[in-house]
Amino acid sequence: MNNSPMNAPETLSWLDRIGNWNPQLLREIRGKLKLRNLMVAIGLSLLFQLLLLLFYSQRIPSEDCYVQIRGFGCATSWQDWWLEQFRLITWAEPFILFLAGVYSLISDLSLEDYKGTLNFIRISPRSSISILMGKIMGVPLLAYIGIGLIIPYHIAAAIGGNVPIIFLLSFYVLLIATAFLLFSGAILLALLSGWQAKFGGQVTAGALVFSFVTFVWIVPAFMWWNIFTAWSSFSKVLVGGRINAIQAEWWYLPITSNIWTSHIFTVVNLGILSLAIWRILERRFHNPTATIISKGHSYLVTLYLEILMLGFCVQSGFSDKGLYGEFLFLLMLFIYIANFLVFLAAITALTPQRQALLDWVRFGALSTTEEHPSGFGYILRDLIWSDKSPAPIAIAINLLITQLPVLIWVNSWNSVDIRGKALIVIASFALSILLLSLVTQLILFLKNRNPSAWATGTVSALIFLPVLIMLSLSITPERHAGVWLFFGFPWFVVANIKLSDIILAFGGQISVIIALALQLIYQLQRAKMRET
C-alpha cells in the first residue's frame, strides 16, 4: 500500500469531514471498507457483468445467424441486443439492492444488540436520526458499491437499446425511494424484535425471514406495481410487450391516467410511510421500553391507512359497469382482512407493559396525590392520550376512526340486503377487536416471566383454535351460525343467519367484553390500593 505523506492529509481530511457530519457513518465505513470485503464486492459486481457479457456474446446479431438446437439464438438487431441486457439489469438491481440491504441491516443491528454495543450507541449525544441514517448509508455500503459499478453498464445498455432517459430517471428515483422505506422498516424490525438467535455464525433469524419476504413479495410488488402504473408507457422495455396501464382511481381521482400522477401518488405514499416509520424509530431508539407508537400518532396512522385502502374501492368504473352487490361485498372482505392485520399491529404497538401501567396508576390519572387533578374527565383524557394508560380505549377510538368511513361507503350501496350483511360484518369486527385488546392488556398486566409471549399465544389461540374445534366437533356454519358469529367469523354465516342468532352472538360478545373490562378495572384498583 502507498501511504505517501502527500496523500495522507487529503484522506484524513476527507474522513474527518464525514466523521464531523455523521460519526456513525464513519464508524460503518471503517468497519465495512476492509480490503477483503471491498475486493469481494467489486469482484462479484464485475463477475456479474462479465457473465452477462459472455452470455450475450452468443447472441450478437448477424445476417447468417441461425438457432442452434442447444443454443439461445441471436438477437434480431443491435437495439434488441442491448435492450435485452438493459431489461435483465433492470430486474436484477432491485433484487440485489433490497436483499443485500435488508439482510445486512437486520443482521448488523441484531449483532450489535447481541454484543451489547447497541446500548453504547444509544447513549451517544447524537440524535437518533443521525445515528440511524448513518446505519442506512453505511451498513449496506458494499451493496451500494456493487450497484454503482453496474450503473455504467446499465446506462450503456439503455443508450444502445434506445431507452428513454426519462424512464432511467424514473427507475432510479423509485428504486431509491422504495429502498429507503424498506431499509427503514428493516431497522425498525431489528430494533423491535430483539432477535439474538443465530443460525450458525452471525446470521439472525430475522434477517433470513425478512430477506425471504423481500425476495418473494416486496421486490415483485415493487416491479409489477410500477409496470402497471408509472412505467406502463415503457412496458416493452421491461417485459418485451405492450401492457396497458390499469385504470385505477383513488376516491374517483385517476392516479394512472399519466405517468406524472402515478409518480406523485407512489412517491407521496412512500414518503408518508417512511415518515411514519421514522417517527417510531425516533421514539423507540433511545427508549426501548416505550410503546411502539404514541396514541395520538396511532389515530393519524390508522386514518391514513383506512383512507388509502378504501380509496381504491371507490371508483367510477364500478358504477359504470354495474358492479354492485356481491362484488362490493367481496371488496369489503379485502378491507376486512387488511383492517384485521392493522389492528393486530395496533394492539401490539399501543398496549403498555405491566411496569408502565403501574407507573400510570402511581403518577397518572388514578394518582391520589394533590399534584394531579381527579375526576372522570381527566381519567378519560389520560386514557385517550397517555401512552402508559390501558390501550382498549385507544383501540376503540381507532375502530371508530376506521369504521366510520367504511360505514359511509357501505351506506352508498344500492342493495339493502348486502348493506345489512355488511353491517353485521362491521359490528362483529369491532367487537372481536375490542375483545382481543382487553385480553392482551390483561395478560400484559400479569406478573409472569414473558408476558409478550403469553399474549401472542393467547391471541393466536383465540383466532385459530375456535375454527379447528368447531370443525372437529362438526359445528357447521349452516347449523350453528350464532356460534360462528360469536367467535368472530361472520363471513361464513352472514348469508343465511337469523336475527335471533345475531342477537345471541353479539349479546354474548358484549357480555364477555364487559366482564373483561370489569376485570381490568379491578386489577387497576388493586394496584392503586397497593400503591396507596
Side-chain angles (χ1 to χ4, degrees), residues 111-311:
L111 185 61
E112 296 242 35
D113 188 25
Y114 180 72
K115 290 183 175 180
T117 53
L118 188 60
N119 291 328
F120 177 76
I121 296 175
R122 282 193 172 105
I123 63 175
S124 169
R126 291 279 177 169
S127 66
S128 57
I129 294 179
S130 174
I131 294 171
L132 296 177
M133 283 299 297
K135 285 284 184 184
I136 288 181
M137 291 186 290
V139 172
L141 185 59
L142 298 176
Y144 299 155
I145 292 173
I147 292 292
L149 293 174
I150 298 176
I151 289 177
Y153 189 178
H154 199 201
I155 295 175
I159 295 172
N162 199 23
V163 176
I165 190 66
I166 189 69
F167 169 74
L168 207 59
L169 293 174
S170 168
F171 173 75
Y172 281 105
V173 166
L174 294 177
L175 182 71
I176 292 171
T178 307
F180 181 74
L181 172 63
L182 187 60
F183 294 170
S184 302
I187 289 179
L188 177 62
L189 182 66
L191 291 178
L192 294 181
S193 62
W195 277 312
Q196 297 177 0
K198 302 291 186 293
F199 287 156
Q202 299 171 354
V203 181
T204 64
L208 290 175
V209 171
F210 201 35
S211 297
F212 177 76
V213 172
T214 301
F215 179 79
V216 301
W217 183 66
I218 295 178
V219 177
F222 162 76
M223 292 298 296
W224 286 109
W225 164 260
N226 290 309
I227 286 173
F228 281 105
T229 56
W231 301 335
S232 59
S233 302
F234 313 107
S235 56
K236 185 178 179 181
V237 173
L238 292 166
V239 296
R242 178 67 180 175
I243 293 181
N244 295 324
I246 55 176
Q247 300 302 314
E249 294 177 349
W250 185 72
W251 293 103
Y252 296 117
L253 298 175
I255 59 173
T256 58
S257 57
N258 61 67
I259 61 173
W260 295 111
T261 55
S262 302
H263 280 79
I264 291 172
F265 181 81
T266 303
V267 172
V268 166
N269 281 286
L270 289 174
I272 293 174
L273 291 172
S274 299
L275 178 63
I277 290 176
W278 276 87
R279 293 300 297 265
I280 298 174
L281 289 173
E282 283 186 88
R283 175 182 176 84
R284 288 278 298 194
F285 185 73
H286 290 298
N287 188 11
T289 60
T291 54
I292 297 174
I293 189 172
S294 67
K295 290 181 177 178
H297 289 154
S298 74
Y299 306 144
L300 296 176
V301 171
T302 52
L303 178 62
Y304 160 74
L305 291 176
E306 194 67 24
I307 291 175
L308 178 65
M309 292 186 296
L310 198 58

